[in-house]
Amino acid sequence: MLPRKLYYLTLHLKPRITSMRPSPNSGLNPLISLRKALAIAALALTSIASNLHGQSAFAPENNLTVAEQYLFAAANEARANQGLPPLRLDPVLTEASALHAHEMADHAIISHQFDGEPELATRGANAGAHFSLISENVGEAPSSVIIHDLWMNSPDHRANLLDPDVDSIGIAIVTRDNQLYAVEDFASTVKILTINQQERAVAGVIAQSGMRVTETTDDARQTCTMSTGYAGSRQPWFIMRYTASSLNAIPSQLRNRLISGKYHQAVVGACPATRKSSFTAYNIAVLLYP
């Protein structure tokens, strides 16, 4: 299910923000005043600029503007303060963010979607991102400091920034008439694996239970594509079909079957997605035999 769009008013005439969350929250209470934000903006951006000299010339963040650098650093500082891992700057998500930031600047208004523009998940997928979750913050203000502070003082925007389930971010800012139009796209990225790699990953997890995993067969892969039944002449005693964005774990129902003592052999089959979706996932079938 795609995130709901949530729109809020700020306490200021010009600075504005909206968020797109996987699940709705409510309320916005920006605590920072416009005067205070403008006063600290120059200091904050100067600090970020001075830190750039110590970074590798090949770091992806070096392709960002100073204002975008500030949002990236501020996001990861906020996460570090909560004991969360830093976000990886994703060039593909940044491309998607940039396209939408230009749309906002062209319209001189913030929104998560304009007429004729794809919605968030489609924008990310069209740019080439592979994800199981995606969310977005957008904002408009005279400085990136104001935008970040507004985001951090809004429950929904803060939840996006501090979401433990996301690992990547795309950031873009476009300026028009001294106003910054900013976009942050967050995602839980899914690694692209071949069918063989998917099957080996699942087989490795199953083998940890002591179950003997035999070589994958065409029948197992064909069974993966089927909604019911099985392919081939050899009937499995149990079939588990599931979809997952990570192959580091298996469903609890399957785990319970593995340790039941009723089965002594497993075969893993993977298959491509049967329907087109902006979200990326692995399709797996595990066949258990006596």
Side-chain angles (χ1 to χ4, degrees):
M1 181 178 293
L2 295 179
R4 293 179 59 187
K5 297 179 182 178
L6 304 172
Y7 298 89
Y8 300 95
L9 296 176
T10 74
L11 299 182
H12 311 303
L13 180 61
K14 269 295 184 183
R16 293 175 291 182
I17 56 174
T18 78
S19 71
M20 183 176 276
R21 285 286 297 155
S23 58
N25 292 302
S26 61
L28 173 61
N29 183 28
L31 303 180
I32 186 168
S33 70
L34 181 59
R35 178 177 298 177
K36 177 181 177 183
L38 291 173
I40 65 175
L43 289 175
L45 294 178
T46 300
S47 174
I48 293 297
S50 65
N51 289 336
L52 299 184
H53 297 291
Q55 296 178 350
S56 165
F58 299 101
E61 56 267 27
N62 282 351
N63 293 322
L64 301 180
T65 66
V66 171
E68 292 165 343
Q69 285 267 15
Y70 173 77
L71 290 183
F72 182 51
N76 277 334
E77 180 181 7
R79 291 176 66 88
N81 290 340
Q82 298 297 317
L84 296 170
L87 297 172
R88 176 182 65 87
L89 183 65
D90 189 313
V92 176
L93 283 176
T94 294
E95 178 184 338
S97 299
L99 291 173
H100 187 59
H102 279 284
E103 286 284 346
M104 294 198 306
D106 289 344
H107 287 81
I109 193 172
I110 60 172
S111 174
H112 290 291
Q113 185 179 12
F114 295 96
D115 289 343
E117 182 188 30
E119 47 80 35
L120 172 61
T122 303
R123 292 201 308 267
N126 287 348
H130 300 276
F131 50 84
S132 60
L133 178 153
I134 189 167
S135 57
E136 181 175 79
N137 285 350
V138 300
E140 172 195 358
S143 82
S144 58
V145 174
I146 296 176
I147 292 172
H148 177 73
D149 283 331
L150 287 172
W151 282 340
M152 287 301 293
N153 286 287
S154 157
D156 290 301
H157 302 84
R158 181 184 177 91
N160 282 346
L161 282 158
L162 302 181
D163 189 343
D165 293 327
V166 300
D167 54 32
S168 303
I169 187 173
I171 299 175
I173 294 176
V174 175
T175 303
R176 174 179 177 175
D177 298 330
N178 297 317
Q179 284 290 104
L180 275 59
Y181 294 85
V183 178
E184 286 185 338
D185 287 339
F186 307 89
S188 176
T189 53
V190 178
K191 187 177 180 180
I192 300 304
L193 301 174
T194 67
I195 294 297
N196 285 333
Q197 289 172 326
Q198 295 174 40
E199 291 164 347
R200 286 197 296 269
V202 176
V205 176
I206 292 175
Q208 293 176 9
S209 69
M211 177 70 62
R212 182 169 66 94
V213 184
T214 59
E215 194 71 23
T216 296
T217 64
D218 290 338
D219 287 342
R221 290 177 176 176
Q222 181 64 30
T223 299
C224 178
T225 67
M226 302 164 59
S227 58
T228 60
Y230 63 93
S233 58
R234 187 185 181 198
Q235 181 177 359
W237 278 23
F238 177 78
I239 301 173
M240 166 67 76
R241 297 178 179 88
Y242 65 95
T243 300
S245 59
S246 172
L247 300 179
N248 296 328
I250 56 176
S252 58
Q253 183 182 358
L254 175 58
R255 187 169 58 250
N256 291 337
R257 293 276 182 164
L258 294 177
I259 63 177
S260 67
K262 296 180 181 179
Y263 314 97
H264 300 90
Q265 181 186 9
V267 179
V268 180
C271 56
T274 56
R275 64 183 181 87
K276 185 174 178 57
S277 172
S278 297
F279 296 87
T280 301
Y282 308 114
N283 295 297
I284 305 295
V286 178
L287 289 66
L288 300 182
Y289 299 90

